[in-house]
Amino acid sequence: MTMIFENKTAVVTGGSRGIGRAIAETLARRGATVVIADRQIEQALATAAELAAASGQTVVALHVDVADSASVKALFDQVLAKFPRLDILVNNAGVTRDTLLVRMEEADWDMVLNINLKGAYNCSKAAVRQMMKQRYGRIVNTASVSGIAGQAGQTNYSASKAGLIGFTKALAREVGPRGITVNAVAPGFVPTALTNDLPAELKESTLKAIPLGRWGTPQEIANAVAFLASDEASYITGHVLSVDGGMVMG
């Protein structure tokens, strides 16, 4: 496989499993040095060891709570102490706490917004400082079709992902003159730990709404992220790439 990320360092939040793991693995296989930043440090360490062995690249795991600005600062201090550059940031860390709004606890609203949206703010703010010095950087945010079309039972999640889309476009305008692109992918339904607990009837109804007639795979999302993080996408910024089998068009 072409080593298009050779000599580049990437930070992937929430990279220990699911879509995040697929992203970390794809970047490593294509030549990047990868930092898996995750709250679940034991799982992240195991994932990093597996990906390093499989790719032959440097893959390390560092603890972070993306909702905590002090934790994020400590993460990026460690990254820049270990590596000379920071080229790619993938804001992938995310959680769901699904229920109808009338039943939703305030704590579940706050948790989802703090991790999914404030987390991207914290990490991007820290990363952009270094990227501006380099006059180069790629930020890719993991949004969702729920942030584009909305999803019943996910007012908190949909709001966080819609906010992330607006954040992506605004930041792209701010940092474009410094050679930094900011884009997002909006995955459709993909089998991961976040979707395992969806009701069977919802899973069945989503299939009917997808023109390609199937759910996506983590690798298909990772391929889109890798493209947006590459120099092949050097003239794309502020864009939201739906990877959803045609579920949401427009």
Side-chain angles (χ1 to χ4, degrees):
M1 183 173 287
T2 306
M3 304 293 272
I4 59 174
F5 296 116
E6 193 170 10
N7 300 320
K8 291 188 176 171
T9 301
V11 173
V12 181
T13 68
S16 67
R17 62 180 184 168
I19 290 173
R21 179 190 170 111
I23 293 168
E25 180 175 12
T26 300
L27 295 178
R29 285 189 181 278
R30 298 183 188 184
T33 293
V34 177
V35 177
I36 295 174
D38 207 294
R39 280 195 306 178
Q40 308 296 329
I41 189 59
E42 293 301 324
Q43 187 170 16
L45 287 165
T47 298
E50 291 169 13
L51 299 190
S55 66
Q57 296 299 121
T58 299
V59 183
V60 301
L62 294 173
H63 176 269
V64 72
D65 176 356
V66 297
D68 180 348
S69 59
S71 177
V72 170
K73 181 182 184 303
L75 165 69
F76 284 93
D77 285 348
Q78 290 178 78
V79 170
L80 292 172
K82 287 176 179 288
F83 307 110
R85 293 176 58 85
L86 172 57
D87 302 284
I88 299 162
L89 168 65
V90 182
N91 284 310
N92 174 74
V95 295
T96 56
R97 290 294 183 273
D98 294 352
T99 191
L100 296 175
L101 179 66
V102 293
R103 298 176 187 158
M104 188 176 292
E105 298 291 339
E106 184 176 355
D108 288 338
W109 174 273
D110 289 345
M111 173 185 279
V112 171
L113 270 290
N114 282 340
I115 292 174
N116 297 5
L117 185 54
K118 186 181 178 184
Y121 154 80
N122 283 334
C123 292
S124 299
K125 186 175 181 180
V128 157
R129 295 182 190 278
Q130 176 65 22
M131 291 177 175
M132 289 175 75
K133 291 177 187 174
Q134 299 166 177
R135 300 191 72 85
Y136 179 91
R138 298 282 184 268
I139 297 175
V140 185
N141 299 319
T142 303
S144 170
V145 292
S146 296
I148 298 173
Q151 180 66 46
Q154 287 193 324
T155 52
N156 49 3
Y157 186 76
S158 297
S160 72
K161 296 302 188 176
L164 189 56
I165 289 169
F167 174 86
T168 297
K169 295 178 178 181
L171 183 58
R173 291 185 183 278
E174 290 184 17
V175 299
R178 297 296 187 99
I180 304 166
T181 66
V182 188
N183 293 289
V185 293
F189 283 86
V190 176
T192 67
L194 287 185
T195 56
N196 284 344
D197 296 332
L198 291 175
E201 60 270 18
L202 177 58
K203 292 181 180 180
E204 189 175 323
S205 68
T206 61
L207 281 176
K208 294 177 182 175
I210 299 171
L212 291 186
R214 64 174 178 85
W215 281 24
T217 67
Q219 186 60 56
E220 287 172 319
I221 310 305
N223 291 341
V225 171
F227 167 66
L228 291 173
S230 75
D231 289 339
E232 294 174 340
S234 57
Y235 202 55
I236 301 172
T237 196
H239 184 70
V240 181
L241 177 57
S242 293
V243 190
D244 61 5
M247 184 177 181
V248 176
M249 298 187 189

